[in-house]
Amino acid sequence: MKRDERLVCERFPRSSKYHPDWVIAGASSGANALWLTEWLAEALDLRSGMRVLDLGCGLAMSSIFMRREFDVQVWATDLWFSAANNLQRIRDAAVDDGVFPIHADARSLPFAPEFFDAVVSIDSFVYYGTDDLYLNYLARFLKPGGVLGIAGMQEFDGAVPDHLRAWWEPSMYCLHSALWWRRHWERTGILEIEVADTFPHGWQLWRDWQVVVAPDNAVEIQAVETDRGRYLGYVRLVGRRRAEARLDEPIVSVSSDYTKKPLLRVVSIE
């Protein structure tokens, strides 16, 4: 029987072991989650037994991959996708002993402070992480010295180039360059930035994935091919929580006792 060569990539030997039908069925974003996870993991030093939060895990592809490839424990957390369905996918992959599906909002996480050795976000951090206050919130769940790593699609800062206008939509302004993310994290003083880079010729991976998973998506494929990496590609950031970094406690409620006071000034008439 001839081998199915779809999604086989020498650059990603771990990802290439997985059946393309399984990978395509688990697609939940515009990028190949396994390729991005393997690329990001190269900079994370994941070790057996580590506790990892997979934030915005989608259909838990990245969570299953990290468990199988690195023997870490993963909390597969997502708001948009069913934890019950993810559990079935996790069981079918025989990793339910180390991948735990959670339904939660990234801004309201049900975990104890300093619980995780690593937080990973694959192609989803842009939906919440651009908030200036979010890193302070998220870092509370990382142990001092723990790492935060993100990987996803990158864009540009500034006006939309003419050759991308047919494909562009306003929601894409959440996509940013590696330099933008570095500045966004560094100014907080919470993380020591270890990696902030883009994937060489990442536009080709973007195109190759779309050709397989969404061949009728001609507008996006044409935009990526025309751009040829001038703006479009993949970005990766890794930061380590500084042990000395001071984190502000989140405000969950404000205590205030009502005391009745006069509503209007009393104007005396003489």
Side-chain angles (χ1 to χ4, degrees):
M1 180 180 295
K2 185 178 179 181
R3 182 188 180 193
D4 190 335
E5 295 294 330
R6 290 176 301 162
L7 303 179
V8 171
C9 182
E10 291 183 2
R11 177 60 181 81
F12 301 114
R14 292 179 183 268
S15 301
S16 296
K17 296 183 299 184
Y18 293 79
H19 197 288
D21 288 346
W22 183 81
V23 178
I24 294 169
S28 60
S29 73
N32 184 319
L34 298 195
W35 288 348
L36 289 183
T37 306
E38 185 167 349
W39 180 43
L40 180 60
E42 293 169 2
L44 292 180
D45 188 27
L46 297 176
R47 298 184 303 277
S48 178
M50 290 178 67
R51 292 198 291 259
V52 178
L53 169 59
D54 189 359
L55 189 58
C57 69
L59 294 174
M61 302 277 289
S62 49
S63 303
I64 293 168
F65 180 83
M66 286 188 287
R67 175 61 179 174
R68 287 181 53 88
E69 299 297 322
F70 304 103
D71 193 36
V72 294
Q73 298 180 76
V74 188
W75 279 255
T77 304
D78 201 274
L79 176 64
W80 294 347
F81 294 91
S82 164
N85 287 342
N86 277 351
L87 178 59
Q88 186 58 57
R89 188 172 293 103
I90 290 163
R91 284 174 174 165
D92 288 346
V95 292
D96 52 312
D97 60 336
V99 181
F100 315 109
I102 302 290
H103 180 262
D105 190 319
R107 298 177 180 86
S108 184
L109 295 171
F111 305 113
E114 302 184 2
F115 183 75
F116 293 104
D117 299 290
V119 175
V120 169
S121 181
I122 302 299
D123 207 23
S124 70
F125 202 74
V126 294
Y127 295 112
Y128 39 84
T130 57
D131 183 336
D132 289 340
L133 303 178
Y134 187 71
L135 184 58
N136 180 88
Y137 169 77
L138 181 61
R140 296 175 58 251
F141 302 103
L142 263 179
K143 296 177 181 177
V147 291
L148 168 62
I150 68 172
M153 296 185 290
Q154 76 153 9
E155 260 299 339
F156 49 86
D157 304 320
V160 180
D162 290 339
H163 68 280
L164 296 180
R165 289 188 182 279
W167 170 66
W168 184 262
E169 58 185 53
S171 64
M172 295 178 185
Y173 278 117
C174 68
L175 304 177
H176 295 291
S177 65
L179 178 60
W180 187 96
W181 283 109
R182 175 185 279 275
R183 289 196 303 257
H184 187 60
W185 284 4
E186 277 186 331
R187 64 183 180 176
T188 67
I190 295 172
L191 300 178
E192 180 72 33
I193 308 303
E194 297 184 343
V195 175
D197 62 1
T198 56
F199 193 90
H201 307 294
W203 71 272
Q204 295 175 339
L205 294 178
W206 189 328
R207 178 203 57 198
D208 293 348
W209 170 247
Q210 287 297 317
V211 167
V212 171
V213 75
D216 295 331
N217 188 4
V219 175
E220 182 171 342
I221 293 171
Q222 181 63 45
V224 174
E225 290 182 338
T226 302
D227 183 74
R228 297 187 67 84
R230 280 178 286 172
Y231 299 99
L232 307 179
Y234 293 130
V235 63
R236 172 179 66 172
L237 274 291
V238 175
R240 190 171 299 275
R241 180 182 165 182
R242 297 176 184 270
E244 71 278 9
R246 176 182 174 273
L247 301 180
D248 294 330
E249 288 297 317
I251 298 174
V252 294
S253 65
V254 178
S255 177
S256 178
D257 295 326
Y258 173 69
T259 302
K260 185 176 181 180
K261 299 293 183 182
L263 177 65
L264 301 175
R265 293 177 181 270
V266 177
V267 180
S268 60
I269 301 176
E270 298 183 3

